[in-house]
Amino acid sequence: MHPTARSRLFVLTKEFHSKRSLSSRELIERDDKFGGRHFKPLPVVLTRGEGVHVWDVEGKRYLDFLAGFATVNQGHCHPRLVKVMKEQAGKLAHTSRAFYSEPHGALGEYLTKLLGWDRFLPMNTGVEAGDTAIKVARRWGYRIKKIPKNEATVVFAKNNFCGRSIAALSASTDPNCYTDFGPYVPRFDKVPYNDLNALEQKFRQDPTICAFMVEPIQGEAGVVIPNDGYLKGVRDLCTKYNVLWIADEVQTGLCRTGKRLAVDHENQRPDILILGKALSGGMYPVSGILADSQIMLCLETGSHGSTFGGSPLGNRVALEAVKVLEEENLAENARELGEIVRRELERLPKEIATEFRGRGLLAGLVINKDFAEGWDICLKLKEAGLLTRPAHGQILRISPPLTITKEQLEEGLDILTTVLKSYK
């Protein structure tokens, strides 16, 4: 090695190792200097997680009431997930779908038999699975419904959150998605959420609609739960007008709301189901769609693909992650503990919180604007040992890992209510 290059390598190595003991403030400053802009993070630097707890670099322990936006349903670093990830990473991590691998079929068989569709197509992130569902629906629209070429329309519920891709931005009604990101995907239409009359009017007026994509509970919008019967109405209308119902359960699926799927609260079956987040327990990005063969096989060989989607590592971890949810009865735990959350937080006076919204352990507490800003409350909660974030400024998210115990939940609720009642 050239002496100059060796000298530079020595300096870089020395600098790297010297930064292992940086303080939270120094680490945050480094992120702000070298990182691109994403979320606005709370001023805490996390270094370790176990179960429902996380620790910062100074060693302070926190209860996690966010769970990676409802991703680590199985808890941080679940021992079973760590074990299979180590095993698979040391055996075969990646091949691409250019070849067969054992975990791909194993995950597909398990999910289809458990959830009741013919086929599973794996991807990586939730937004990729959403984009895939739209591709499949359009292909079905042309090949099965016989919509004229390039006229297939997809309808979305307003105030949705599908991710950050150009397609997801195009599907959104959030003003932040429409500043200097265009042009947008054509033939994306929107209707009000939880409004069956508006949906039927849209279906009746436009025969080019191939699909309606909706979250059974709108998570990012602030845990907005539709009226009883809405999901059944969506199913009936989609069947009546020959439109595919795409259920976006990236956040609501896999036991978060007290059922395996949020659509199970009304015993309804969408044509395409989107899963993500908790599908791998936060260990590795895994998402995908489930559908029956007539729909799924509209994508023939070569019409879709992903370098990492369906990797041996991702599929092996995902299979274990779903087994953990089933075998540890985490849907039932979410249902039971969700009732405690509701009971405790609905007691808060209206001058503090104007509304509680929740199902299972997916909940939101609407803080009165005259009382405090949601961000400021989250800062106080951090100091008291509990982590979460606000949605839309005033809605405190309450979505801890589903492995949380009654005692741990009550500890977190005590922190939350104490901070709120003592806030000045």
Side-chain angles (χ1 to χ4, degrees):
M1 181 182 294
H2 191 277
T4 303
R6 186 182 297 110
S7 177
R8 285 181 62 191
L9 179 62
F10 174 78
V11 170
L12 288 171
T13 303
K14 184 178 179 181
E15 288 179 352
F16 174 79
H17 287 291
S18 70
K19 290 177 181 177
R20 289 178 183 240
S21 59
L22 293 180
S23 67
S24 288
R25 180 183 61 80
E26 290 168 322
L27 289 166
I28 290 170
E29 288 175 351
R30 184 175 67 179
D31 268 28
D32 290 343
K33 181 177 180 180
F34 295 106
R37 293 182 178 177
H38 202 269
F39 294 111
K40 178 184 178 182
L42 280 175
V44 57
V45 182
L46 301 179
T47 189
R48 185 167 69 90
E50 181 180 341
V52 299
H53 293 104
V54 288
W55 286 260
D56 66 18
V57 294
E58 278 80 31
K60 182 176 179 178
R61 190 182 75 166
Y62 304 85
L63 269 171
D64 180 6
F65 262 39
L66 189 65
F69 293 105
T71 296
V72 289
N73 288 6
Q74 300 85 344
H76 291 277
C77 300
H78 193 291
R80 286 174 58 177
L81 300 188
V82 172
K83 180 175 182 290
V84 300
M85 191 166 194
K86 287 180 177 179
E87 289 175 355
Q88 190 63 46
K91 181 180 178 183
L92 181 66
H94 177 71
T95 63
S96 87
R97 290 293 309 285
F99 310 99
Y100 289 97
S101 66
E102 183 181 358
H104 183 269
L107 177 61
E109 181 181 26
Y110 186 84
L111 286 178
T112 54
K113 289 182 177 179
L114 179 71
L115 301 176
W117 279 269
D118 291 345
R119 295 174 181 271
F120 173 69
L121 175 60
M123 294 298 291
N124 304 288
T125 63
V127 70
E128 287 179 282
D131 286 1
T132 299
I134 293 167
K135 281 184 68 175
V136 172
R138 280 180 162 180
R139 180 61 70 86
W140 174 90
Y142 295 124
R143 299 196 170 180
I144 305 299
K145 190 173 180 177
K146 305 302 182 183
I147 296 171
K149 185 177 181 180
N150 293 330
E151 292 185 15
T153 300
V154 181
V155 178
F156 301 85
K158 292 182 178 179
N159 299 317
N160 68 74
F161 182 80
C162 306
R164 308 285 186 180
S165 70
I166 291 297
L169 298 183
S170 302
S172 179
T173 53
D174 185 344
N176 288 332
C177 294
Y178 290 92
T179 303
D180 300 333
F181 292 122
Y184 295 89
V185 177
R187 305 194 77 87
F188 276 17
D189 207 347
K190 290 99 178 181
V191 295
Y193 181 69
N194 196 26
D195 189 335
L196 293 174
N197 291 330
L199 184 62
E200 181 161 26
Q201 183 178 7
K202 186 72 67 177
F203 285 176
R204 188 185 299 120
Q205 292 173 346
D206 189 352
T208 70
I209 295 172
C210 63
F212 173 53
M213 183 164 161
V214 64
E215 300 158 271
I217 298 171
Q218 289 192 322
E220 187 69 20
V223 192
V224 181
I225 300 172
N227 297 335
D228 291 342
Y230 175 67
L231 299 180
K232 182 181 185 304
V234 169
R235 175 68 278 166
D236 291 345
L237 289 175
C238 286
T239 300
K240 178 180 178 180
Y241 289 93
N242 196 24
V243 170
L244 297 183
W245 172 20
I246 304 172
D248 178 356
E249 293 233 32
V250 169
Q251 184 165 178
T252 59
L254 300 174
C255 306
R256 172 55 56 181
T257 68
K259 298 274 190 180
R260 277 191 188 128
L261 304 171
V263 294
D264 292 344
H265 288 282
E266 293 192 26
N267 297 313
Q268 298 303 309
R269 185 178 186 269
D271 299 293
I272 301 176
L273 177 76
I274 307 173
L275 294 177
K277 290 188 182 292
L279 186 54
S280 67
M283 301 294 290
Y284 187 94
V286 181
S287 66
I289 64 170
L290 288 126
D292 287 341
S293 294
Q294 185 197 41
I295 296 169
M296 189 76 84
L297 296 183
C298 286
L299 288 182
E300 74 276 6
T301 300
S303 61
H304 193 63
S306 168
T307 297
F308 286 95
S311 75
L313 181 58
N315 283 346
R316 182 67 186 89
V317 171
L319 177 60
E320 192 72 12
V322 180
K323 286 183 176 180
V324 167
L325 294 172
E326 289 293 305
E327 293 168 13
E328 297 189 7
N329 299 311
L330 295 185
E332 181 68 12
N333 197 50
R335 185 190 64 78
E336 292 178 356
L337 297 189
E339 290 304 310
I340 295 174
V341 175
R342 176 181 297 278
R343 183 172 65 246
E344 291 300 314
L345 297 187
E346 283 185 341
R347 294 175 179 173
L348 289 168
K350 296 298 182 185
E351 58 265 27
I352 294 177
T354 59
E355 183 184 2
F356 172 83
R357 307 168 183 169
R359 181 162 283 170
L361 286 177
L362 180 66
L365 185 67
V366 184
I367 302 300
N368 191 326
K369 288 184 178 181
D370 295 330
F371 177 74
E373 295 292 327
W375 181 261
D376 295 334
I377 295 294
C378 288
L379 291 175
K380 292 289 188 181
L381 290 172
K382 178 186 80 74
E383 295 304 316
L386 185 145
L387 296 180
T388 189
R389 287 179 60 91
H392 296 278
Q394 296 304 117
I395 306 168
L396 297 187
R397 303 170 191 264
I398 301 161
S399 59
L402 304 186
T403 53
I404 194 169
T405 65
K406 181 173 181 287
E407 293 72 25
Q408 290 168 334
L409 180 72
E410 289 174 341
E411 177 190 354
L413 291 174
D414 182 63
I415 292 172
L416 177 58
T417 55
T418 298
V419 165
L420 287 172
K421 291 175 181 178
S422 62
Y423 182 82
K424 295 181 181 178

